[in-house]
Amino acid sequence: MTGAGHVRRSALYAKYFKENGFEVHLRGELLISWLIPECMDTFHSIGMIHQHEVFDLAILDTYDYSLQKTATLSIQSRFVLQIADNSTPLVPYLPVLWLEPTAPASSISAKNTVLGFGLDYFPIRKLHLREQSSRPANKVLITTGATSDEKILDSLIQASQESDFEGFTFNLLSPRLPTGILPENWIWSETGRELEVLAKVCDTVITAAGTSLWDFLANGFPVATFPLVANQNTNYDFAVTNDLAIPLYETNPNLDEIKESLYELLLMPERRLNLVDNSLRKLDFEGPRRFSNLLLSRIKKAALQSRRGVT
């Protein structure tokens, strides 16, 4: 278990397994302090991997190959699967839930049974009422996730000071305070629990194309997005190609492109509503339920075959 996105999506899945009577335990090094309270509320226990722990089901969700290896050698389980995307080192022959919006390459399907893929299985958080999306733009949430890029932020800050955007408030959620002095209409908060708080008061989002992108789209926010790291490229391409989000820029942070994107995102009401309509048609909050139902049916089938002597 590594990274805020991995932990949060596992917590969403865990709630549905608990509804089906499972005890759910989190194993791995949890380094993100602001996630600990949420994990304590969700999981029966959290801690490091222990030798010879026995579980009915083990789910691997990490980019850390050494952690994968430790888990597969230490944990005893009747059913093991992996949650993966394009950046995940795959354990050969394990069944996989493919958390990308598009199907995995045939080379992956040849080695690993793909239980499911696509938006139908994405774990998406409810942040506020979807009806709020019809509000005119006024307060903008800008989030970079666990990383940040000074060049992108500098360009955004500069673009936001155009006279067209006078009166807007920009709430920046990032791991660290940007260098330099922020304009008066910019407010910085450290990445963490503030996301849920800000989502209730903001009406528009500019976000890196990580896991939170889908949260914002499904909750009815007009969104502009950008890929901050390589494993966000697929999310970015899918959201832009399907007209779910506006690209903040095409290839590299460019002031003129960012100004045009801000104008489209903030000052064109019909465009905002069109983006939201497209997103709400494609996304919902049922991904964890679909995943748990799919997985439980596979486990029951495997148990029945085992009793009949079928391998």
Side-chain angles (χ1 to χ4, degrees):
M1 181 67 58
T2 50
H6 297 272
V7 175
R8 278 201 144 144
R9 70 192 185 192
S10 294
L12 285 168
Y13 289 137
K15 292 174 183 177
Y16 286 89
F17 284 107
K18 288 170 71 175
E19 286 182 6
N20 285 280
F22 280 79
E23 284 188 13
V24 187
H25 303 268
L26 179 66
R27 293 292 178 261
E29 192 171 11
L30 187 58
L31 299 176
I32 306 167
S33 59
W34 51 267
L35 278 174
I36 292 176
E38 181 178 344
C39 290
M40 293 291 288
D41 291 341
T42 303
F43 296 94
H44 288 86
S45 72
I46 58 176
M48 299 302 292
I49 296 171
H50 305 298
Q51 192 76 20
H52 305 308
E53 276 195 290
V54 180
F55 297 102
D56 294 304
L57 166 66
I59 300 174
L60 305 181
D61 185 3
T62 180
Y63 292 156
D64 187 337
Y65 181 74
S66 63
L67 181 58
Q68 289 180 358
K69 189 174 180 180
T70 300
T72 53
L73 292 174
S74 302
I75 292 174
Q76 299 179 34
S77 177
R78 288 186 293 176
F79 196 91
V80 183
L81 72 91
Q82 190 169 14
I83 293 176
D85 56 40
N86 284 319
S87 297
T88 308
L90 293 176
V91 179
Y93 310 114
L94 280 189
V96 169
L97 177 69
W98 189 252
L99 283 192
E100 293 280 6
T102 54
S106 57
S107 58
I108 291 171
S109 302
K111 290 184 178 180
N112 298 78
T113 300
V114 179
L115 298 179
F117 70 89
L119 300 178
D120 281 349
Y121 295 101
F122 276 36
I124 295 174
R125 289 174 286 172
K126 291 184 179 180
L127 299 174
H128 73 158
L129 295 175
R130 288 152 69 115
E131 289 79 5
Q132 291 177 337
S133 61
S134 60
R135 292 181 299 179
N138 180 254
K139 293 184 178 180
V140 183
L141 171 59
I142 299 172
T143 174
T144 63
T147 55
S148 61
D149 186 303
E150 291 287 338
K151 184 177 180 181
I152 295 172
L153 290 178
D154 288 345
S155 298
L156 259 173
I157 291 169
Q158 188 175 345
S160 72
Q161 299 311 294
E162 293 286 308
S163 59
D164 286 332
F165 310 120
E166 186 176 342
F168 287 94
T169 301
F170 296 87
N171 295 271
L172 173 63
L173 199 59
S174 67
R176 65 190 68 86
L177 182 66
T179 57
I181 299 173
L182 286 177
E184 290 184 1
N185 62 336
W186 278 66
I187 303 168
W188 174 78
S189 300
E190 187 176 4
T191 299
R193 282 182 171 266
E194 288 297 307
L195 188 146
E196 283 81 1
V197 176
L198 290 171
K200 289 180 171 66
V201 298
C202 292
D203 47 65
T204 308
V205 173
I206 298 171
T207 180
T211 55
S212 292
L213 168 64
W214 307 110
D215 296 333
F216 295 126
L217 293 174
N219 279 275
F221 286 98
V223 172
T225 190
F226 56 95
L228 194 55
V229 291
N231 67 0
Q232 297 176 354
N233 288 335
T234 303
N235 285 351
Y236 171 83
D237 290 340
F238 186 91
V240 170
T241 301
N242 287 275
D243 202 29
L244 309 182
I246 293 170
L248 187 62
Y249 52 83
E250 290 296 333
T251 306
N252 297 304
N254 176 287
L255 183 58
D256 289 334
E257 283 185 286
I258 291 175
K259 286 178 185 177
E260 290 178 9
S261 296
L262 282 181
Y263 190 93
E264 184 178 354
L265 180 67
L266 301 178
L267 299 173
M268 298 176 63
E270 289 188 10
R271 182 72 177 111
R272 289 166 57 81
L273 287 172
N274 181 252
L275 289 169
V276 172
D277 287 344
N278 292 343
S279 296
L280 298 189
R281 279 197 294 267
K282 279 190 174 290
L283 294 159
D284 60 30
F285 303 105
E286 295 300 311
R289 188 182 301 280
R290 293 188 190 101
F291 173 51
S292 61
N293 290 342
L294 172 71
L295 194 50
L296 291 172
S297 68
R298 292 293 294 258
I299 292 172
K300 291 175 182 176
K301 182 179 179 181
L304 182 61
Q305 289 176 335
S306 178
R307 286 198 295 271
R308 291 175 176 171
V310 178
T311 59

